[in-house]
Amino acid sequence: MVQKPKGTYDVIGEKGKEILYLEKLLTSLMEKYNYQYIRTPIFENSELFHRGVGETTDIVTKETYDFKDRSDRNMTLRPEGTAGVVRSFLENKMYATETFPSKNWYLGPMYRYERPQAGRFREFYQFGVEVFGADSAMMDAEVISIPVTFYKLLGLKGVKVKINTLGDNVSRENYHRALIQYFEPYIEDMCEDCKARFLKNPLRILDCKKDSHKDYMKSAPKIIDYLNSESKVFFENVCKYLDALEIDYEIDTSIVRGLDYYTHTVFEVEANIKGNACALCGGGRYNHLVENIGGPSTPGVGFALGFERLISVLEEENIELCSSKAVDVYVFANTLEENKEVFAFVQMLRMNGFSADTDYMDRKYKANFNRADRLGAKYIAIIGKEEVENHFVTFKDNQTKEEYHVHMENVISFLDERIEEEE
Ligand code: HAM
């Protein structure tokens, strides 16, 4: 039998309900924050990610799914959402038509050819936001507040917000020079990736998983000592606004992020999955990405969170997302003769806002009761010859087992009184 590709998974049964619940919660949260939904293609011209995500990142050098289309164009399955949203912002001239800040959210599959392990998949789902046009520390704090609020709504406890700043371009250049000077004596001891990073982007050495335990990494220069006063003030303001929202955070100078586009604020929210610290989400400010992709200078800030790691953490903390939603009414016919009436009745219930299901398999009377139980039906409705002739329906409350004969005209008000509307 052909099996699913390595690093992918199927969503089946109860998992589907959990995912839809998370998506609904995020959609409603985004309405409250007044962000608009944006959707971009799953594949883009490969060049976008080279320019956007960065030539020295692991994502671009080792992890993209690249292919040539039938007209020999280089295409890449998106490894993340930011580059595509920025491309769309430019291509649709949103910088000219939107009032700033332009606040956008997205949700969809991303693809990275990583070694599959706990919390790491080759196809995974991200929810993310990208905000354009506001060079304001308040905006960074708002973006950080989104995952924090979301995790809080879900009842997650063991999460830590870690923030850092990479400063503006001037601060970054100073820091870059300091890192080159510092790391030079250790080049021979570095892994092959870090040797390449040393020349192209020494900041990425700090994010190396292979070399992280080495002594020289511990005393590497810290960005905080190379920030100019504008960058310092910006970061202090981000912290001030986080304090205003009473968000608990920790300044962690080792957070540099795995993508090249960040300036100023970078952050991650960490949780523990099976004993390993794992980033539940990450993001930050990118004031030059729009320009680098070919647009007018426009500041940006955003973040993305992964669904898979979130679901693992929820499982680890024994948080049940939604009591599995049962059907309101299970309807069946007393004999095959009434199937047509039953079929129309089920549809009428659905059109009036109730969830309803029926028997498609010509089950026997008792088997229908078993089926109603399996579906968790609150009410069972039976339509037989007598019911059809006299325009009524026999309802059974599936908990109390009480029976009611309800005239067709009164069915909706009968159910309205007894079944609470669910969010
Ligand atoms: P990222 O840190 O690469 O950032 O990914 C964000 C989140 O996606 C991670 O924290 C993690 O939850 C999830 N994730 C990443 N890779 C995998 C994987 N292989 N399997 C499962 N989950 C994964 C970005 O993607 C940036 N675009 C975030 C951003 C938006 N920055 C500014 N705007």
Side-chain angles (χ1 to χ4, degrees):
M1 199 200 78
V2 181
Q3 296 190 331
K4 64 183 182 312
K6 203 171 166 186
T8 66
Y9 62 96
D10 300 313
V11 172
I12 56 166
E14 289 296 307
K15 274 278 164 290
K17 284 187 188 165
E18 284 178 17
I19 283 168
L20 291 177
Y21 175 83
L22 292 175
E23 291 185 359
K24 217 163 136 185
L25 196 62
L26 285 165
T27 308
S28 108
L29 192 63
M30 284 299 89
E31 267 171 27
K32 297 194 174 103
Y33 272 87
N34 193 31
Y35 281 53
Q36 64 187 354
Y37 177 66
I38 185 166
R39 199 173 76 186
T40 62
I42 284 170
F43 64 98
E44 297 267 4
N45 286 298
S46 303
E47 191 197 343
L48 175 69
F49 300 112
H50 287 263
R51 283 221 253 164
V53 175
E55 302 279 9
T56 58
T57 60
D58 279 0
I59 295 176
V60 163
T61 53
K62 298 184 200 157
E63 296 173 0
T64 50
Y65 277 89
D66 302 309
F67 63 98
K68 277 200 191 283
D69 71 7
R70 287 173 194 269
S71 302
D72 220 26
R73 297 183 195 96
N74 291 315
M75 295 291 162
T76 296
L77 294 183
R78 60 182 185 195
E80 55 101 55
T82 313
V85 173
V86 171
R87 196 246 339 114
S88 173
F89 176 78
L90 294 181
E91 198 164 339
N92 295 297
K93 298 196 170 49
M94 284 166 73
Y95 52 83
T97 54
E98 298 261 308
T99 50
F100 280 171
S102 161
K103 308 202 288 184
N104 308 280
W105 72 272
Y106 54 89
L107 196 158
M110 308 291 159
Y111 299 85
R112 295 185 194 175
Y113 193 80
E114 294 194 75
R115 198 166 62 79
Q117 51 189 292
R120 237 172 244 282
F121 293 85
R122 290 185 172 171
E123 182 189 67
F124 58 97
Y125 274 70
Q126 274 188 349
F127 160 85
V129 310
E130 310 297 346
V131 179
F132 301 103
D135 197 5
S136 143
M138 206 192 276
M139 207 67 252
D140 299 32
E142 175 171 297
V143 165
I144 296 172
S145 80
I146 293 171
V148 171
T149 308
F150 177 55
Y151 298 144
K152 206 171 176 177
L153 285 173
L154 291 171
L156 269 186
K157 292 206 175 64
V159 297
K160 272 195 205 145
V161 182
K162 295 188 163 181
I163 64 167
N164 188 21
T165 177
L166 302 178
D168 61 6
N169 269 355
V170 177
S171 312
R172 267 186 80 147
E173 272 160 30
N174 290 338
Y175 185 47
H176 190 110
R177 272 195 294 276
L179 287 174
I180 290 195
Q181 235 175 27
Y182 175 80
F183 282 124
E184 199 162 15
Y186 306 108
I187 294 183
E188 282 316 306
D189 195 32
M190 287 179 182
C191 70
E192 288 311 307
D193 288 339
C194 281
K195 283 180 184 155
R197 290 168 181 148
F198 177 79
L199 294 171
K200 289 190 187 151
N201 186 357
L203 187 72
R204 304 236 12 89
I205 296 175
L206 301 172
D207 206 26
C208 180
K209 313 250 168 358
K210 282 191 211 136
D211 288 345
S212 62
H213 62 281
K214 294 188 174 157
D215 276 347
Y216 63 80
M217 291 290 259
K218 294 190 185 92
S219 13
K222 303 246 182 300
I223 178 70
I224 225 104
D225 301 320
Y226 295 84
L227 293 178
N228 57 14
S229 57
E230 289 89 337
S231 303
K232 261 191 202 146
V233 169
F234 192 87
F235 191 52
E236 280 162 14
N237 281 333
V238 174
C239 297
K240 180 180 88 184
Y241 287 116
L242 288 175
D243 292 336
L245 299 184
E246 295 181 7
I247 289 175
D248 214 7
Y249 59 88
E250 187 183 302
I251 297 174
D252 181 342
T253 53
S254 71
I255 304 268
V256 291
R257 307 278 300 126
L259 305 101
D260 277 352
Y261 44 64
Y262 296 109
T263 50
H264 290 286
T265 320
V266 282
F267 76 98
E268 286 183 356
V269 179
E270 259 184 30
N272 213 297
I273 303 180
K274 299 190 171 69
N276 297 318
C278 197
L280 273 188
C281 75
R285 178 162 281 280
Y286 47 87
N287 281 352
H288 305 291
L289 180 59
V290 178
E291 235 170 310
N292 292 346
I293 291 185
S297 166
T298 313
V301 55
F303 90 98
L305 67 82
F307 268 54
E308 295 72 13
R309 296 183 190 176
L310 172 62
I311 289 173
S312 302
V313 176
L314 290 167
E315 274 168 12
E316 200 126 304
E317 293 196 13
N318 290 321
I319 295 177
E320 271 201 34
L321 281 188
C322 39
S323 55
S324 93
K325 197 172 176 266
V327 294
D328 294 327
V329 190
Y330 179 76
V331 192
F332 67 89
N334 208 10
T335 71
L336 296 187
E337 299 293 304
E338 296 88 33
N339 262 350
K340 193 173 149 220
E341 282 77 9
V342 161
F343 200 49
F345 183 71
V346 167
Q347 187 67 358
M348 186 279 286
L349 292 180
R350 291 169 179 161
M351 293 302 102
N352 280 281
F354 297 99
S355 60
D357 209 346
T358 188
D359 171 32
Y360 308 89
M361 318 291 288
D362 299 337
R363 286 183 173 81
K364 297 260 174 339
Y365 196 79
K366 192 149 177 267
N368 266 318
F369 276 96
N370 291 340
R371 172 94 183 124
D373 283 343
R374 281 200 68 160
L375 294 176
K378 294 172 193 145
Y379 281 84
I380 296 170
I382 306 160
I383 299 181
K385 190 164 179 262
E386 205 191 328
E387 280 84 353
V388 173
E389 277 173 12
N390 298 304
H391 305 289
F392 75 94
V393 177
T394 300
F395 276 98
K396 264 188 203 293
D397 181 323
N398 205 19
Q399 259 200 327
T400 63
K401 308 293 172 202
E402 247 174 288
E403 195 174 292
Y404 306 84
H405 295 294
V406 184
H407 194 275
M408 269 297 178
E409 271 179 15
N410 302 328
V411 163
I412 297 306
S413 55
F414 170 83
L415 291 173
D416 268 341
E417 277 166 27
R418 287 165 174 80
I419 294 174
E420 269 176 52
E421 204 175 313
E422 288 195 28
E423 256 283 284

